[in-house]
Amino acid sequence: QVRLVESGGGLVQAGGSLRLSCAVSQLPVRHTSMAWFRQNPGKEREFAARLSVGISTYYSESVKGRFTISRDNAKNALYLEMNSLKPADTAVYYCAASRIGLSSERAAAYDFWGQGTQVTVSS
């Protein structure tokens, strides 16, 4: 059974940094496309960053230049390095994986999701 488990969230001041991790089991990260999304209560899940099988990356305009998505094939994990954090970045962050390696900014394109990790940025 494929399982994704996020960690690394927390409370940070504006301008600070956090590194989110997503441990993946039963699905080799080097063989699939993965992404980070975020969501606030009452709002739709929002795309943040994606990483294709071929290691190409794509970011939303709101995080471009501040966030970096990466993976570690040996650890079978996905990461999101977040710098220059803003209060607007406050959300629950989710990692997602595609069963067939489809890389997209749409949440519906992903088959597997973690439980989420809370990121709170104070002003």
Side-chain angles (χ1 to χ4, degrees), residues 2-121:
V2 176
R3 189 177 182 212
L4 282 64
V5 180
E6 301 95 336
S7 61
L11 174 64
V12 63
Q13 288 188 335
S17 298
L18 282 175
R19 188 190 193 212
L20 305 184
S21 300
C22 176
V24 183
S25 57
Q26 302 300 318
L27 181 69
V29 296
R30 68 183 184 277
H31 288 164
T32 192
S33 295
M34 298 194 69
W36 288 96
F37 287 77
R38 61 189 186 183
Q39 189 173 25
N40 280 302
K43 294 189 177 182
E44 291 188 359
R45 198 159 291 190
E46 175 192 18
F47 166 78
R50 61 174 170 85
L51 179 69
S52 71
V53 173
I55 320 182
S56 63
T57 59
Y58 184 80
Y59 300 91
S60 69
E61 286 300 319
S62 60
V63 310
K64 188 181 295 182
R66 300 187 297 119
F67 291 11
T68 302
I69 188 172
S70 63
R71 74 184 189 214
D72 185 325
N73 293 339
K75 295 183 178 179
N76 212 46
L78 182 74
Y79 303 99
L80 187 67
E81 186 75 35
M82 306 187 295
N83 298 313
S84 302
L85 282 162
K86 307 174 182 179
D89 295 317
T90 295
V92 176
Y93 283 72
Y94 298 89
C95 66
S98 168
R99 184 191 304 271
I100 59 173
L102 179 65
S103 189
S104 172
E105 297 85 75
R106 296 184 304 112
Y110 296 89
D111 304 287
F112 307 106
W113 293 84
Q115 83 290 346
T117 185
Q118 176 71 48
V119 171
T120 302
V121 184

